[in-house]
Amino acid sequence: MLTFVGLGLYDERSITVAGRDAVGEADRVVAEFYTSTLAGATVADLEAYHGVDVEVRDRAGVEQSPGDVLDDAEGRDVVFLTAGDTMVSTTHVDLRLRAHERGIETRVVHGTTAQTAASSLTGLQNYRFGKATTLPFGRSHGGEGVPGSVTDTIDANRERGLHTLVFLDIDAANDAYMRADEAAELLADAWRDDLAVAVARAGSPDPVVRADALSTLAGESFGDPLHLLVVPGDLHHVERDALVELAGAPRSLVGE
Amino acid sequence: MLTFVGLGLYDERSITVAGRDAVGEADRVVAEFYTSTLAGATVADLEAYHGVDVEVRDRAGVEQSPGDVLDDAEGRDVVFLTAGDTMVSTTHVDLRLRAHERGIETRVVHGTTAQTAASSLTGLQNYRFGKATTLPFGRSHGGEGVPGSVTDTIDANRERGLHTLVFLDIDAANDAYMRADEAAELLADAWRDDLAVAVARAGSPDPVVRADALSTLAGESFGDPLHLLVVPGDLHHVERDALVELAGAPRSLVGE
């Protein structure tokens, strides 16, 4: 059996009880932290909390040579851990399909996600979000500034009045996480005076949620990673109040 | 302090460890189950698991008379529980704003959501979903068939190649939960031969994920609630394989 368990958003206590039980009962625990990471816990923290050894694999170890994990999962209970939810990346769907092809039973134990937190912490309603996008570091997409796919997504959502969740690039190999102020600076080229919401450390005991013009957010700092950014579309009156009261948005920027 | 805690998707073990700790430390625990519900646990199960009393409130008790809860949260630790994530409904944002106005500290402990599970269980990628929508019972929207807002949302997402998560109506007062086959039958009027994915009991140990033409899904049954439905847009090749291998979609319906 191969059980995919989402670790949730922040630290070793972000996992669900069902997930913790699956880890505790496993014969072997494998993890990857290149698609996302837990900013509030190290691998040693996870090992101590769960009382297990955690083998961390890099991208090549998951995508090109998962053979030993699958071999093991034929006869024993193997848990595969990822930050957030378990199937955020096609990589993991692919691994699940490989297991399925070999007749290995698979199971998914869900985790909390940035998508959920973006909505919950900002007060922006989940059914008013359109397609999400990811803002990459220049070195990741081999260009300068903001890729057209990102601006197109924000524009297309806004045409329909919808909010856009902007995931910020994670370069795990270099321990680099794009900050919300960097992201705001990049987006301010196109939308200087437009409202955005920076969210830092979603899922932690001390998240920061801050709404203001992109050019203003570009000059602020939001502390430790992970960060994300939301570009709102049309605002319902409760959403307006939430951004003003809970995120410090200037009333002039939220309308009405 | 008023702490909003999401119970997650299915039963008493769907809560995060951080959420469980918040419940255990609370002086008073209030819950509502009218915006969503835990299909796999009763209130008595929750009380036994957490070793606390849980006061369940109906809509009026949350929206019109939350005064005693807020009074209490001024001096004590009150936890407010909801199924799924905590801020799925404007109701709860509104309650949080009321607390904030009174100078009560608030905190959010996230839970796993249907949105996450819809993506994770089906293998459909989270950043390829557009706006979500809710399909109501006829008696809820006072009409027959499918409201224009639902078909418009699905159409607008498809134009952009995006998937649509269709939440199915919950009528908690009458203990009625729309089933995925009912939903498929309603949507089959417009899109008889189009592909959709039924998901039942997301977050439980025995979820069902089944992809086929809407008219076919309309004639199947998926067991106990909660159900949801996904109407896919354009499919990536890993998504195609996932729907065929993990959800039994006929290869002819997923293309290529």
Side-chain angles (χ1 to χ4, degrees):
Chain A
M1 162 106 86
L2 181 56
T3 305
F4 294 86
V5 176
L7 289 166
L9 280 164
Y10 182 68
D11 67 11
E12 68 276 16
R13 299 194 312 137
S14 305
I15 196 170
T16 62
V17 172
R20 187 204 58 187
D21 291 352
V23 174
E25 290 159 13
D27 297 310
R28 180 177 175 189
V29 179
V30 179
E32 70 78 10
F33 296 104
Y34 59 86
T35 60
S36 187
T37 191
L38 287 187
T42 62
V43 173
D45 292 338
L46 289 174
E47 290 182 321
Y49 180 76
H50 292 289
V52 297
D53 288 328
V54 176
E55 297 167 49
V56 179
R57 300 223 152 185
D58 61 9
R59 187 180 292 272
V62 173
E63 296 181 6
Q64 286 153 39
S65 42
D68 64 302
V69 173
L70 294 173
D71 289 345
D72 225 11
E74 287 190 338
R76 302 202 301 158
D77 283 337
V78 179
V79 160
F80 186 80
L81 296 174
T82 49
D85 192 49
T86 83
M87 292 285 153
V88 280
S89 161
T90 44
T91 296
H92 307 139
V93 179
D94 189 65
L95 184 59
R96 191 174 178 207
L97 287 169
R98 289 194 205 200
H100 187 78
E101 261 168 40
R102 291 176 55 163
I104 297 166
E105 195 184 341
T106 61
R107 202 160 64 97
V108 172
V109 182
H110 302 289
T112 51
T113 61
Q115 211 139 15
T116 300
S119 161
S120 223
L121 289 174
T122 59
L124 297 172
Q125 291 304 293
N126 69 326
Y127 62 89
R128 294 164 65 89
F129 277 75
K131 178 184 174 352
T133 188
T134 299
L135 184 58
F137 286 121
R139 59 179 182 274
S140 302
H141 69 104
E144 294 263 310
V146 179
S149 62
V150 175
T151 48
D152 289 352
T153 297
I154 294 172
D155 279 334
N157 283 337
R158 279 183 157 186
E159 268 167 40
R160 293 167 64 193
L162 302 176
H163 315 316
T164 307
L165 167 57
V166 184
F167 289 101
L168 304 183
D169 204 359
I170 291 178
D171 177 359
N174 295 299
D175 203 27
Y177 308 95
M178 187 183 283
R179 301 186 317 268
D181 54 306
E182 287 177 87
E185 184 162 4
L186 287 168
L187 293 175
D189 271 351
W191 298 292
R192 188 177 168 69
D193 301 321
D194 287 14
L195 180 70
V197 193
V199 178
R201 295 174 302 289
S204 80
D206 61 345
V208 166
V209 183
R210 174 80 179 94
D212 211 319
L214 280 162
S215 55
T216 306
L217 296 178
E220 300 190 353
S221 45
F222 308 104
D224 291 336
L226 303 178
H227 295 184
L228 54 90
L229 200 73
V230 178
V231 180
D234 299 340
L235 294 171
H236 179 268
H237 72 91
V238 174
E239 294 180 316
R240 270 191 206 113
D241 291 346
L243 291 182
V244 170
E245 297 300 330
L246 305 174
R251 182 62 73 174
S252 61
L253 270 181
V254 301
E256 309 267 303
Chain B
M1 162 104 88
L2 180 58
T3 304
F4 294 86
V5 176
L7 289 167
L9 280 165
Y10 181 66
D11 66 12
E12 67 276 15
R13 299 193 313 140
S14 305
I15 195 170
T16 62
V17 172
R20 187 206 55 187
D21 291 352
V23 174
E25 290 158 11
D27 297 310
R28 180 177 174 190
V29 180
V30 179
E32 71 78 8
F33 295 103
Y34 60 85
T35 62
S36 186
T37 191
L38 287 186
T42 63
V43 174
D45 292 336
L46 289 174
E47 291 182 321
Y49 180 75
H50 292 290
V52 297
D53 288 328
V54 176
E55 298 169 48
V56 178
R57 299 221 153 187
D58 62 8
R59 186 179 292 272
V62 173
E63 296 181 6
Q64 287 154 40
S65 42
D68 65 301
V69 173
L70 294 172
D71 289 346
D72 224 12
E74 286 190 338
R76 302 202 300 159
D77 283 336
V78 179
V79 161
F80 186 81
L81 296 174
T82 49
D85 191 48
T86 83
M87 291 285 154
V88 280
S89 163
T90 43
T91 298
H92 307 139
V93 180
D94 189 67
L95 183 61
R96 189 173 178 206
L97 287 169
R98 291 194 204 200
H100 187 78
E101 261 168 40
R102 290 175 57 163
I104 297 166
E105 195 183 341
T106 60
R107 202 161 64 97
V108 171
V109 181
H110 302 289
T112 51
T113 61
Q115 210 139 16
T116 298
S119 163
S120 225
L121 288 176
T122 59
L124 297 171
Q125 291 304 294
N126 68 325
Y127 61 90
R128 294 166 63 91
F129 277 76
K131 177 182 173 0
T133 187
T134 298
L135 184 58
F137 285 120
R139 59 180 181 271
S140 302
H141 69 106
E144 295 263 311
V146 179
S149 63
V150 175
T151 48
D152 289 352
T153 296
I154 294 172
D155 279 333
N157 283 337
R158 281 183 156 187
E159 270 167 39
R160 294 169 63 195
L162 302 175
H163 314 317
T164 307
L165 167 57
V166 184
F167 290 102
L168 305 183
D169 203 359
I170 290 177
D171 176 0
N174 295 300
D175 202 26
Y177 308 96
M178 188 185 283
R179 300 186 318 269
D181 54 305
E182 287 178 85
E185 184 161 5
L186 287 169
L187 293 176
D189 271 352
W191 297 294
R192 180 173 176 73
D193 300 321
D194 287 13
L195 180 69
V197 192
V199 178
R201 295 175 303 289
S204 80
D206 61 345
V208 166
V209 183
R210 175 77 181 99
D212 212 318
L214 280 163
S215 55
T216 305
L217 296 178
E220 299 189 356
S221 46
F222 307 104
D224 290 337
L226 302 177
H227 296 185
L228 54 87
L229 200 72
V230 178
V231 181
D234 298 340
L235 295 171
H236 178 269
H237 72 91
V238 173
E239 295 180 316
R240 264 189 213 117
D241 290 347
L243 292 183
V244 170
E245 298 300 330
L246 305 173
R251 182 59 76 171
S252 61
L253 269 181
V254 300
E256 308 268 301

